Amino acid sequence: MAVITVLDKTVSELIAAGEVIERPSSVIKELVENSIDAGAKHITVEIKNGGTTFMRIVDDGCGMAPEDVPTAFLRHATSKISEKTDLDNICTFGFRGEALASVAAVAKVTVLTKRPEDEFGTKYEIAGADAGVPEECGCPDGTTLVIKDLFFNVPARRKFMKRDAAEGNAVSQIIQKIAISHPEIAFRFIRDNKMEFHSDGSGTLLAAIHAVYGRDFARDLLPVEHTQDGITVRGFVVKPLYAKSNRSFQNFFVNTRYVRSRACMVALESAYENLIMTGKFPACVLMLEMPPDTLDVNIHPAKAEVRFSEEKTVINAIYFAVKNALMKAGLIYEFQAKKPEQDWYRKPEPEYKQQPLVEEQPKPAPKPVPAPPPSPLPQAAMPFTAPPAAKPVPEQTSILAAQKPPKMPIVSGNLQEMPPEQPPAAPQPAVPPAPQTAQAPPVPQTASSVAEIETEPFPDVQVIGELFANYILAQSGDTMIIIDKHAAHERVIFEKLRRDNCRQYQQMLLEPCRVLLTMDEFSAMEENVPLLDRLGFAFDFSHKPYAVTTAAPIFFEGLNLDEIVQELAHNLFLGKVNPQTHLLDDMLHELACKSAIRANDKNSRAELQALTEQVCRDVNIRHCPHGRPVMFTMSKYNLEKQFRRRV
């Protein structure tokens, strides 16, 4: 066995620095967080060559005393904590005392710092193990750190850094997230002598998001504000129609600290289930505020991850915050009509033509042509009138309000089992639709529930007709509504299947299915037997740690039940509010799609009216199960703008 020796200080410093400093963005993150802890209101970050050769962080914080500057670069030197009880109430960022020491171990660092009460500032230089002597200098209040030649003494680490553009992008992403989490601070980011972005420090979260991600991203957001079990969730989430192709725009902040959390991601995406297209992911900027003693921020060397003491409580808080925001918004999209490229009703401006050098002879004026006699209005432009033989059709009372709807067929292509149309009777006065309350959304089986939406966005909606045998045209007040009848009916059936919870399709298995689970997954299954029963499953838990499936929904025939049960158990272990497996949702999608009416199907006005009323009054029917929007609207004002009746 080799002889055990104590590592040299220089080697141990390099190893310790490698845990905190991975690339230029790691340096920027640590030092900018120190600037925030120093109370800075303006922070400027400048890099060159992706930060590999030059980084500068300038702030107007409290600065450091001359005698504290050398101490700040020692390992485990900090002003944030002094005893072990402080670890339970950490509210600052750079509390470990490792950032400056780690940076100085692998780069050439120059610091200029001055407190407001001091007459002179302090300059200090340190590179690896070579530390200089503090000197007096003139500098503004605050601290300026200049870092050059990162990993100059660790060529192996420098060799594996990415190209300058990639490293610079990583720095930019770090600054963007910090700028969003602290809208009260004005940030400037300069890359290779060019200003990349800046925030105004107004203190408004939406203004910070606008500065970082731009106007289009900020325009497509919905506000979130929710408090549950001592956890406050606020911020913004994206409308489902504008979901992104990856998770890069999911931003979670816990007590203003950006974190990566699988629990937060699971809660967010659970709230968007069946609202977004396959392969799309919701974007968000969510700020979580909770007591410091309920989380551990000290589990990751770079403090990029946290551990929650009550993870399921956090998941529920985020889920209901996002779900309520989506339901309150209504998710009704305004039809975006493009502005015409030119105003056809305006005369074009006369073009300037250069006068010829040789004067041309004037041409004889053409003989006047007599105007043709006035012709009657073309048939296409004449106002529509019904033919004389046509009888007026009385307005139909809402089918949903006039009678109790029968059971929805599972394999039929019709909308509902509607009674056959009666021949037109004598004209009668129109009967207004009976009042109908919006259907209550499904209440997840948790301690809290989604807020009920009382507003009715489309009162007295009336179907006008059908376009291209697939799109319903309706009117409500000054709003025109366009509904995809297949997508809408598909969602209606899907919601009905989910609300019946698939119990009616439960069937006993001739041969039970044994699935090996982890102890955590097995316990989660045992604790949720009523929920599993509503999903159509029955289990025998007497063979721990095997879950023996004794019954399952009939439409799972021929599928791999092992995978379904494993995913269901894992979702329950993660604490998902809606633990349905993707395969279960896919089966419900397929049933709903096969049962729904399709394009080119002939439907009566009563059927279309019934479907339209259900779509307009049920807040859950805004997207089909595959995530496509069910309806678009256009206001009378915007329609008149398209026809140039309004300017």
Side-chain angles (χ1 to χ4, degrees), residues 147-181:
I147 299 93
K148 297 181 179 180
D149 300 331
L150 185 63
F151 297 129
F152 76 99
N153 53 352
V154 191
R157 296 291 300 274
R158 190 179 183 92
K159 175 182 178 181
F160 285 97
M161 280 199 298
K162 299 180 180 179
R163 67 184 191 278
D164 293 349
E167 297 294 348
N169 292 337
V171 173
S172 179
Q173 291 177 7
I174 289 292
I175 298 300
Q176 288 175 358
K177 297 184 187 308
I178 296 177
I180 290 175
S181 64

Side-chain angles (χ1 to χ4, degrees), residues 322-525:
V322 177
K323 199 69 175 179
N324 284 332
L326 294 174
M327 294 182 68
K328 289 178 182 177
L331 303 179
I332 301 170
Y333 302 102
E334 177 77 12
F335 188 82
Q336 301 292 332
K338 293 184 178 180
K339 185 178 179 181
E341 296 182 359
Q342 64 180 10
D343 295 331
W344 54 267
Y345 62 89
R346 293 181 180 176
K347 295 181 179 180
E349 296 292 334
E351 297 181 0
Y352 172 77
K353 294 183 179 180
Q354 185 177 4
Q355 296 296 329
L357 297 179
V358 180
E359 186 174 353
E360 297 181 359
Q361 296 295 328
K363 296 181 180 180
K367 296 181 179 180
V369 180
S375 60
L377 195 65
Q379 185 69 22
M382 292 181 67
F384 173 77
T385 56
K391 295 182 179 180
V393 180
E395 293 189 26
Q396 298 283 347
T397 306
S398 168
I399 296 298
L400 297 180
Q403 64 178 20
K404 183 178 180 181
K407 286 188 176 181
M408 186 73 65
I410 299 301
V411 295
S412 171
N414 297 325
L415 172 63
Q416 290 179 344
E417 294 177 2
M418 297 291 184
E421 288 191 89
Q422 301 295 331
Q428 297 179 0
V431 180
Q436 179 181 0
T437 56
Q439 297 183 8
V443 180
Q445 302 300 316
T446 56
S448 182
S449 62
V450 179
E452 294 185 2
I453 308 302
E454 300 179 356
T455 58
E456 185 175 323
F458 302 110
D460 302 326
V461 61
Q462 293 294 328
V463 171
I464 300 172
E466 193 174 1
L467 184 66
F468 306 132
N470 187 41
Y471 301 101
I472 304 172
L473 299 181
Q475 178 181 349
S476 175
D478 288 343
T479 303
M480 180 181 69
I481 307 169
I482 307 175
I483 298 175
D484 184 330
K485 70 178 184 181
H486 171 72
H489 191 220
E490 186 179 5
R491 184 64 188 223
V492 168
I493 300 175
F494 178 75
E495 289 297 326
K496 184 179 187 302
L497 291 173
R498 295 189 72 188
R499 287 169 182 169
D500 289 347
N501 294 314
C502 301
R503 189 174 183 177
Q504 59 180 325
Y505 308 108
Q506 189 182 83
Q507 180 174 338
M508 300 297 294
L509 301 180
L510 294 177
E511 183 178 350
C513 174
R514 287 167 55 95
V515 179
L516 177 63
L517 304 175
T518 66
M519 295 304 297
D520 290 332
E521 293 172 347
F522 187 89
S523 299
M525 295 276 281

Side-chain angles (χ1 to χ4, degrees), residues 10 21 57 139 148 156 178 194 286 344 372 419 429 454 501 528 531 600 610 621 625 630:
T10 304
I21 306 303
I57 300 94
C139 62
K148 297 181 179 180
I178 296 177
K194 294 181 180 179
L286 292 179
W344 54 267
E454 300 179 356
N501 294 314
N528 290 274
L531 176 59
N600 299 318
I621 306 175
V630 164

